[in-house]
Structures are given as structure tokens and as C-alpha cells.
Amino acid sequence: MGLYQLQRNEPFDEISSSIKRITSQGKSTNINDIRQKLEVFFEAVKAYKNNPTRFSGRPKLPKYKDKVKGRNILVYTIQAISSKQLKKGIIKLSGTNILIKTGVKPEQICQIRLVPKCDSCVIEVIYNACTQPESTVENQKELVASIDLGLNNLVALTSNQPGFVPLLINGRPLKSINQFYNKRKAQLQSQLKGNRQTSSRIQRLTRCRHQKVDNYLHHTSRQIINLLASQEIMTLVIGKNLQGQNEINIGKKTIKTLSAFLMLG
């Protein structure tokens, strides 16, 4: 794969200094990530030519990051993490002063990801979870749980297990978060001058909104998994309706809320 060549009038020092701070493991991982994205793009273009009806539009080439301010996800493999500190329960990234306390066992950790946001950087620890031994119940394969996703009722859970009590999880807190976000975002956009569509305050507001929604959804999924594990139900079925929201007519307000949640998925 060819590398990007800098022109003479571009800020090479600023770009090269950022590249030098990345470890060799991080560089190779980022290059592989770019290669995979391009391979997926060319495969999608080929599939589009063979059958355009499978796509809503022609696949587009992945966009470039800003040459100075642009930041991509940086991946630290296990080779780029201090093994001495890891034995003490501390994750230390090579070439940085970042120290993270963790309760994960060293042999479980796979990689660390630094995900850039508008005003911060999220550190993600990727590790192998301990797998529970398979249940010895003979009819475990026959036990199935099913989920119906909605807005007011985020989750309606039921099962074919005798005596199983159906579970409803409230979805109104998510709607409240989204309504506040839309109202506040509209106020901030009204204060922008010229043709600007966003600002640092709007980006921070969006990040906080995403974090609140993610937190609620993670707690919801954990509650469901704990319930099914306690009942030894090993199969969960969730309905999937591809592009079903494009042609439904359920009102502008509902569509606006539904679209916001679909963007997070």
C-alpha cells in the first residue's frame, strides 16, 4: 500500500512529531487498520456493481483525517504494555506516562485502545472474559428468550421457560435524555455565526449525551444477561428489521427519537 507523500508547504514537523510518538506496534496496527478499511471499501464497490439493489447508495471512500488536528484510534498491543507494571495491576502504555489501575488479570488483556473524542480521549481495555462452564441441564437448548425492542418500553423480554416472569425495561429515560439534547443543541446552534454547524460546546454536549445513553444501555444489557444466566437460558432472540424505519409513518417526533437511537447502534 502506498504511503501519503507530503508537499513542501505542509507542516511536516508537526505531523512527523505526532508519528514519532507512536510506538512501532501502534504504527503497524494503524496501517493494518487502514488496509482493512480499504479492502472492505473495494469489496463493497465490487458487490455494488454486481447487485446495486443491496445498497442504499454507492459505497464511498473512507474520508481522510485533518492533517494537523485529525486523530485516529491508536491501538496498543500486549507487546506495547509494560509487563512489570501489569503484574502489579497497573497498565502502562509504552512511550507515555499513562498509568491505569485494573483488576483484570495480565493474561486476559489483549490490547488497549485510545479513542479520540472532541475534547477528550477514551481509553478502552480489551480483554478476554472468563467463560462460564456449560450448564448440565439436559433441556438447556430448548430454553429460548425473546426480546421486543421499543421506545417507551425499551425491552419486553419473555421466554418459553415455564414460570418465567416477563420483564419490561423503561425506555422513557432515554427519550428524556434525547429531548434535552435536541433542545440544548438547537439553542447552541442558534448562537453560531455564519455557516457554522457545530462548535466545541455542541461537541461536548453530544459526547455527554452519548455517554449517558451508552451507560443506560449497558446497564440494561447487563440486567438481561444476569437474569438469563440465573435461569440457565442460553439462547436469546432479538428481532432485526433492516431499513424498516425508512418507510414507516409514526409521526415526526417519534421518528426523530428513533433515528437518534439508531445512530448510536
Side-chain angles (χ1 to χ4, degrees):
M1 183 182 66
L3 296 179
Y4 174 75
Q5 294 181 351
L6 297 173
Q7 299 179 0
R8 293 182 180 179
N9 59 347
E10 293 174 340
F12 177 79
D13 292 338
E14 296 182 12
I15 298 177
S16 61
S17 62
S18 298
I19 295 176
K20 289 178 181 178
R21 288 195 293 267
I22 303 177
T23 63
S24 58
Q25 289 288 338
K27 293 176 185 177
S28 61
T29 304
N30 284 345
I31 292 176
N32 289 332
D33 181 61
I34 296 174
R35 176 181 57 81
Q36 291 176 0
K37 290 180 179 179
L38 291 177
E39 288 178 352
V40 171
F41 165 72
F42 289 119
E43 291 177 359
V45 171
K46 185 177 180 180
Y48 175 79
K49 292 180 179 179
N50 295 333
N51 187 7
T53 58
R54 294 176 53 191
F55 300 81
S56 58
R58 189 182 188 280
K60 297 181 180 179
L61 185 69
K63 295 183 179 179
Y64 290 100
K65 299 289 185 179
D66 185 88
K67 299 175 184 178
V68 178
K69 298 181 180 179
R71 293 292 182 269
N72 196 27
I73 295 177
L74 178 59
V75 178
Y76 282 82
T77 60
I78 191 64
Q79 290 83 4
I81 303 173
S82 173
S83 58
K84 293 182 180 180
Q85 294 291 341
L86 199 56
K87 293 178 180 179
K88 302 177 182 178
I90 299 176
I91 298 175
K92 184 181 186 303
L93 304 182
S94 176
T96 70
N97 295 324
I98 299 177
L99 299 175
I100 309 169
K101 292 184 179 180
T102 178
V104 181
K105 297 180 180 179
E107 60 271 14
Q108 292 181 255
I109 296 179
C110 301
Q111 59 181 223
I112 308 297
R113 301 201 316 165
L114 271 63
V115 184
K117 299 296 182 180
C118 60
D119 59 345
S120 60
C121 185
V122 177
I123 300 177
E124 298 179 348
V125 179
I126 312 299
Y127 62 94
N128 289 322
C130 295
T131 56
Q132 298 293 335
E134 295 185 359
S135 175
T136 57
V137 180
E138 295 181 357
N139 63 341
Q140 61 172 336
K141 295 183 179 179
E142 299 177 359
L143 298 179
V144 178
S146 176
I147 285 182
D148 180 27
L149 300 177
L151 293 178
N152 290 332
N153 291 324
L154 178 63
V155 171
L157 176 67
T158 187
S159 173
N160 63 348
Q161 184 186 59
F164 184 88
V165 180
L167 173 67
L168 289 179
I169 297 181
N170 189 10
R172 289 182 175 84
L174 288 180
K175 295 177 63 176
S176 177
I177 293 172
N178 194 61
Q179 289 173 356
F180 172 80
Y181 167 76
N182 290 332
K183 182 178 180 180
R184 182 58 178 161
K185 181 181 178 182
Q187 293 176 346
L188 295 176
Q189 285 182 331
S190 65
Q191 301 173 5
L192 298 177
K193 298 180 180 180
N195 295 325
R196 294 185 59 189
Q197 298 295 326
T198 186
S199 65
S200 58
R201 295 180 67 184
I202 294 178
Q203 291 176 354
R204 284 195 299 269
L205 177 68
T206 302
R207 175 179 60 81
C208 292
R209 179 257 188 182
H210 287 354
Q211 289 177 341
K212 291 179 180 179
V213 173
D214 286 344
N215 180 69
Y216 193 88
L217 293 179
H218 284 312
H219 278 78
T220 299
S221 62
R222 173 48 56 189
Q223 181 181 354
I224 295 172
I225 294 301
N226 289 343
L227 175 61
L228 297 183
S230 64
Q231 301 293 326
E232 296 185 333
I233 300 175
M234 301 303 173
T235 304
L236 177 62
V237 179
I238 304 177
K240 185 177 183 181
N241 186 12
L242 292 175
Q243 298 181 348
Q245 71 278 4
N246 293 341
E247 299 179 358
I248 58 177
N249 182 15
I250 53 178
K252 292 183 179 180
K253 291 184 178 180
T254 306
I255 285 290
K256 192 174 183 180
T257 303
L258 178 62
S259 300
F261 294 151
L262 291 174
M263 288 175 62
L264 292 177

